[in-house]
Amino acid sequence: MMGQQTVAQQAPHMNGLDVQAAFDTIDAIKADASLARFQFRARNTWINGGENRSMIRDFYGAGREDDSRTMAFEFTNGEPPVLLGNNEGANPVEFLLHALSGCVTTTFVLHATARGIAIRELSTQLEGELDLRGLLGLDDSVTPGYEQIRIRMKVEADCSHEELDELLAYTQQHSPVCNTVCRPVPVSIERTSA
Amino acid sequence: MMGQQTVAQQAPHMNGLDVQAAFDTIDAIKADASLARFQFRARNTWINGGENRSMIRDFYGAGREDDSRTMAFEFTNGEPPVLLGNNEGANPVEFLLHALSGCVTTTFVLHATARGIAIRELSTQLEGELDLRGLLGLDDSVTPGYEQIRIRMKVEADCSHEELDELLAYTQQHSPVCNTVCRPVPVSIERTSA
């Protein structure tokens, strides 16, 4: 639980977050759990070889279709030459590390703020191990996905090391991307003519 | 298995991929499995609130440190106003959809090429369902990650519908990001002073 409601009155902004808005959101969700339901979306178009591009704009959440974005975000996947590409962009497994690092960071900052902990500095380094034989179908005993991912976090904040360690454990248990990776999430793929 | 070696002699490039290079890679990995070992990396720095930025450049693979990238790729995570941000970038769970769409697409294109199937058009639409109560720690029975992700693929290629469906099932089983999501992958997080 986020708790410590009094922080909201004492410090309207902390770690760049609007503390009152955060607690208002939590109160609204406590009163109506349907406001917690979000659906995120992406559209991707193949370009050539290992190059493809996503458009990300609309999503549903807090009971309505979001309309805050005037333009779509665009991101290009590519591959390095050793994986038959021309570095048109980072590759998909690298983008997954970007997503994971960002989610762990934002989850940490959110719950630090809820606890009244001011963060001075926060950075992460990620490493993920992959065996290409899985992707290539050369050995069915080799998983095609990451075998494991290590995150090292450097953080300086106005609290004890014990509080940081507890907050980090809480973050790992509550980060959406971290839990999408460390737990099995069903993925369905279907062909469509639309 | 990728098979159909004769494609390499008949069509040096297919779907934008160097077919001979692809089969050379597979032959090299068959001869020395250590060449299949890759380590991908990201470094991320918190900026403010829900904004943070990743640098992605170096990786290890095919028996060496890659040096093909002269500059790092940079990507910014942000959040929309309803999630206390200013749309500084797509958010981490959206970047995960981008990674997933790109990986499914590239895996499909790779194995289509290995089978001698020419693709004319390929696009995907993704939707992922998330309940914010998990992230917020409001209900321990709610998973913080995606509950499920649906991918709809539109593809036009020079083969039968049956071959496309078989290729799509094979893609789902062999895509690295898809298998990182649909299977449990260990994530470790540790604090460091470095």
Side-chain angles (χ1 to χ4, degrees):
Chain A
M1 300 296 294
M2 302 191 71
Q4 289 181 286
Q5 182 84 41
T6 52
V7 173
Q9 285 93 52
Q10 291 166 4
H13 278 75
M14 177 174 267
N15 300 322
L17 293 177
D18 181 331
V19 179
Q20 187 60 54
F23 283 111
D24 287 350
T25 299
I26 290 166
D27 288 342
I29 288 173
K30 281 179 178 172
D32 179 359
S34 75
L35 297 175
R37 299 212 60 78
F38 278 68
Q39 181 187 75
F40 293 101
R41 304 163 189 152
R43 292 166 184 265
N44 183 283
T45 304
W46 175 58
I47 298 170
N48 201 29
E51 184 180 3
N52 58 75
R53 189 164 299 144
S54 295
M55 308 278 280
I56 293 175
R57 179 174 175 177
D58 53 295
F59 66 89
Y60 177 90
R64 59 190 287 270
E65 285 289 317
D66 183 78
D67 59 3
S68 69
R69 294 165 173 170
T70 53
M71 291 179 62
F73 296 112
E74 285 190 34
F75 307 108
T76 300
N77 282 299
E79 293 290 353
V82 71
L83 294 172
L84 310 177
N86 297 301
N87 282 322
E88 304 89 346
N91 76 12
V93 291
E94 291 176 316
F95 270 108
L96 183 139
L97 297 183
H98 165 62
L100 178 57
S101 64
C103 193
V104 165
T105 296
T106 297
T107 302
F108 190 95
V109 170
L110 175 66
H111 287 287
T113 304
R115 296 174 186 202
I117 298 171
I119 300 172
R120 289 190 296 273
E121 190 184 319
L122 197 170
S123 61
T124 53
Q125 292 189 30
L126 285 78
E127 299 173 349
E129 315 291 333
L130 201 70
D131 189 320
L132 217 60
R133 289 178 297 170
L135 163 65
L136 296 174
L138 295 177
D139 186 338
D140 286 346
S141 71
V142 172
T143 182
Y146 275 119
E147 295 161 354
Q148 59 171 331
I149 299 174
R150 283 184 302 279
I151 306 178
R152 283 176 292 178
M153 178 185 285
K154 182 183 175 189
V155 54
E156 294 183 14
D158 291 330
C159 67
S160 69
H161 290 304
E162 290 70 24
E163 285 174 289
L164 282 182
D165 287 335
E166 203 283 313
L167 183 56
L168 191 53
Y170 192 89
T171 295
Q172 183 163 11
Q173 289 157 9
H174 292 83
S175 155
V177 174
C178 191
N179 281 273
T180 299
V181 170
C182 76
R183 302 191 200 206
V185 173
V187 178
S188 67
I189 314 184
E190 63 179 72
R191 282 204 305 122
T192 171
S193 56
Chain B
M1 300 293 295
M2 302 191 69
Q4 290 180 287
Q5 182 83 43
T6 52
V7 173
Q9 285 93 53
Q10 290 165 5
H13 278 75
M14 176 173 268
N15 300 323
L17 293 177
D18 181 330
V19 179
Q20 187 60 54
F23 283 112
D24 287 350
T25 299
I26 290 166
D27 288 341
I29 288 172
K30 282 180 178 171
D32 179 1
S34 75
L35 297 175
R37 298 213 60 78
F38 278 68
Q39 182 188 72
F40 294 101
R41 303 164 188 151
R43 292 165 184 268
N44 183 284
T45 304
W46 175 58
I47 297 169
N48 201 30
E51 183 181 4
N52 58 75
R53 190 164 299 146
S54 295
M55 307 278 279
I56 293 176
R57 179 174 175 178
D58 55 295
F59 66 88
Y60 177 90
R64 59 190 285 271
E65 284 290 319
D66 184 79
D67 60 3
S68 69
R69 293 165 173 170
T70 53
M71 292 178 63
F73 296 111
E74 285 190 35
F75 307 107
T76 301
N77 282 299
E79 293 289 353
V82 70
L83 295 172
L84 309 178
N86 298 301
N87 282 323
E88 304 88 346
N91 77 10
V93 291
E94 291 176 316
F95 270 108
L96 185 138
L97 297 183
H98 165 62
L100 178 57
S101 64
C103 193
V104 165
T105 296
T106 297
T107 302
F108 190 94
V109 170
L110 176 65
H111 286 288
T113 304
R115 297 174 186 202
I117 297 171
I119 300 171
R120 289 191 296 273
E121 190 184 320
L122 197 170
S123 61
T124 54
Q125 292 190 31
L126 285 78
E127 299 173 350
E129 314 291 335
L130 201 70
D131 188 320
L132 217 61
R133 289 178 297 169
L135 162 66
L136 296 173
L138 295 178
D139 186 339
D140 286 345
S141 71
V142 172
T143 182
Y146 275 119
E147 295 162 353
Q148 60 171 331
I149 300 174
R150 283 184 303 276
I151 306 177
R152 283 176 291 178
M153 178 185 286
K154 180 182 176 191
V155 54
E156 294 183 15
D158 291 330
C159 67
S160 69
H161 289 305
E162 291 70 24
E163 285 174 289
L164 282 182
D165 287 335
E166 202 284 313
L167 184 56
L168 191 54
Y170 192 90
T171 295
Q172 183 162 11
Q173 289 157 9
H174 291 84
S175 155
V177 174
C178 191
N179 281 275
T180 299
V181 170
C182 75
R183 302 190 200 207
V185 172
V187 178
S188 66
I189 313 184
E190 63 180 73
R191 283 204 305 119
T192 170
S193 54

